[in-house]
Amino acid sequence: MSEFYNVTSSPHVRSRVSTDKIMLCVIIALLPATVFGIYNFGPRALAVIVVTIASCLVSEFLFNKIAHRKQSVGDLSCIVTGLLLALNLSSTIPFWIAIVGGAFAIVVVKMLFGGLGQNFMNPALGARCFLLLSFTGPMTSFAAVATDTTSSATPLSYLADGGLYSDTLAMFTGRISGTIGETSVICILIGAIFLIACGVIDIRIPGTYILTFAIFVILFGGHLTTGDLGQFLVQELCGGGLMLGAFFMATDYATSPITPRGKILYGIICGALLGIFRLFGASAEGCSYSIIFANMLVPLIERVTVPKPFGKGGER
C-alpha cells in the first residue's frame, strides 16, 4: 500500500444540489405570496415585480461585463434578490425607485463584496433599508387593495398606537394594506413548508426567530390601551414582514450561521431585536433591521458556537 496521501483543497463535501436548483426552489416557494400580492394590489404590483427583477438582472450582467468577471446571472440568485426586494416594496412605489433599489442590492451589497456567498448582509434587505432611509415617504405609502387607489395605514400602525386592528382574519389571509408580498401569512407558510420539505431551509432559524419575538411580546406587550394580549400577539405575528423575513431572508445561506447552535442563537437575536424595534421603537415595523443587525453578528456567533473537536485541543 502506498505511503502517500492525496491531499486536495476544500471543499471536500460534495452534493448534487446546485445553487441554481436551490434558487429555483426559493422562487417556486415565493410564487404563492407573489401571485396573491398581484391579486391583492392589481397589475401595478406585477409591474413593480417585473421592473425590480429586471433591474437586478441588468445590474449583475453589466457589473460582470465591466469587471471582466464570469457571468453569474445563470445561477438565478439575482432573480431571487429582485423578487424578494419587490415583495418588500409597496405596489405604489415609483418605478425608478425600484430600479435604484435593484441596482443597489446587486452592485453595492452583493457584487462589490465578491458576489454570491461573499456578501455580509442579505442584498434585498440591504436595499430595502437603503430605500427606507432615502425615500421614506414613497416607501411607507401603501394601497389597501386593488380596488382602493388611496394610501392606507397598515395594521402595524394600529398596534404601534397600543390598539388592535379590526380584522385579525384579514391579516392572516392577506386582504390588508402592506408591501406586495408580506400581507398573506397563509401564502408565505405554504412556501415555507415547501422549502422545509425540500431541505432548503432549516426550521431552527425561523422557529427561534418567531418564538423569541412571541415571548418578547408576551413579556413586554402590556402597553395595550384596548383589547387583550392574546389577540395583540396574534396580530403582531401576522402583521408586517415577520413571516416573510423569518422564512425567506433570515435563512439566507450567505448571511446566516451554519452551526446548529449558531442558528438558534441567531434566531433569538433576530426575535429580540424585532421586539425592541416594534414595542419600544419609533417605527411600527423593524423586521429588516433586526435581520441586518443579526447578519453583522454572524461571524461572532459562529466563532462562539463552533463545535469543539473531541480529543487533543478539545474539551475534556
Side-chain angles (χ1 to χ4, degrees):
M1 183 179 290
S2 174
E3 297 295 328
F4 294 98
Y5 294 97
N6 183 20
V7 180
T8 59
S9 61
S10 61
H12 302 292
V13 178
R14 299 183 182 273
S15 173
R16 293 183 180 179
V17 180
S18 59
T19 300
D20 57 330
K21 289 181 180 178
I22 293 174
M23 295 301 166
L24 181 60
C25 286
V26 176
I27 293 172
I28 294 173
L30 285 169
L31 285 180
T34 302
V35 172
F36 183 85
I38 296 170
Y39 163 74
N40 199 28
F41 298 109
R44 189 66 167 68
L46 175 60
V48 170
I49 293 171
V50 172
V51 168
T52 309
I53 293 176
S55 174
C56 290
L57 274 168
V58 172
S59 297
E60 185 157 330
F61 177 82
L62 291 179
F63 185 93
N64 286 326
K65 200 78 172 176
I66 295 172
H68 302 290
R69 293 184 182 179
K70 181 181 178 181
Q71 282 298 338
S72 55
V73 294
D75 62 17
L76 304 181
S77 62
C78 58
I79 296 179
V80 171
T81 296
L83 182 56
L84 281 173
L85 176 58
L87 296 181
N88 278 277
L89 298 177
S90 168
S91 62
T92 62
I93 198 79
F95 291 139
W96 68 269
I97 294 182
I99 294 173
V100 170
F104 185 89
I106 296 298
V107 176
V108 178
V109 184
K110 180 183 176 183
M111 302 306 292
L112 287 181
F113 285 92
L116 181 65
Q118 305 298 318
N119 48 290
F120 71 97
M121 71 170 63
N122 184 283
L125 286 183
R128 182 171 189 259
C129 291
F130 166 74
L131 295 179
L132 277 170
L133 293 173
S134 303
F135 314 106
T136 306
M139 286 291 292
T140 54
S141 177
F142 305 101
V145 291
T147 56
D148 187 355
T149 58
T150 60
S151 59
S152 174
T154 63
L156 284 184
S157 62
Y158 292 95
L159 301 179
D161 293 333
L164 291 173
Y165 188 65
S166 58
D167 193 343
T168 302
L169 182 60
M171 295 182 67
F172 184 75
T173 57
R175 294 292 283 175
I176 55 173
S177 60
T179 65
I180 296 172
E182 73 178 14
T183 59
S184 178
V185 174
I186 188 170
C187 288
I188 294 171
L189 289 179
I190 290 172
I193 292 171
F194 173 78
L195 288 183
I196 295 171
C198 292
V200 175
I201 65 173
D202 192 324
I203 193 62
R204 289 185 182 93
I205 291 176
T208 52
Y209 187 174
I210 296 170
L211 180 60
T212 301
F213 176 68
I215 294 174
F216 197 99
V217 171
I218 293 172
L219 293 177
F220 302 103
H223 68 293
L224 277 174
T225 57
T226 60
D228 62 276
L229 182 59
Q231 190 176 4
F232 179 75
L233 172 61
V234 172
Q235 293 192 359
E236 280 285 358
L237 293 176
C238 293
L242 172 59
M243 293 297 170
L244 183 65
F247 288 104
F248 289 95
M249 287 176 281
T251 54
D252 178 25
Y253 284 6
T255 57
S256 61
I258 60 174
T259 61
R261 290 188 299 167
K263 291 178 180 179
I264 294 174
L265 180 57
Y266 173 77
I268 292 173
I269 292 173
C270 286
L273 287 174
L274 179 59
I276 293 172
F277 294 151
R278 279 197 183 179
L279 298 186
F280 300 107
S283 174
E285 183 56 290
C287 181
S288 300
Y289 295 110
S290 70
I291 296 174
I292 282 181
F293 278 116
N295 286 163
M296 293 187 286
L297 294 176
V298 166
L300 178 60
I301 292 172
E302 292 191 329
R303 182 176 180 181
V304 300
T305 60
V306 63
K308 297 288 182 68
F310 180 79
K312 185 176 180 180
E315 293 181 334
R316 295 184 179 180

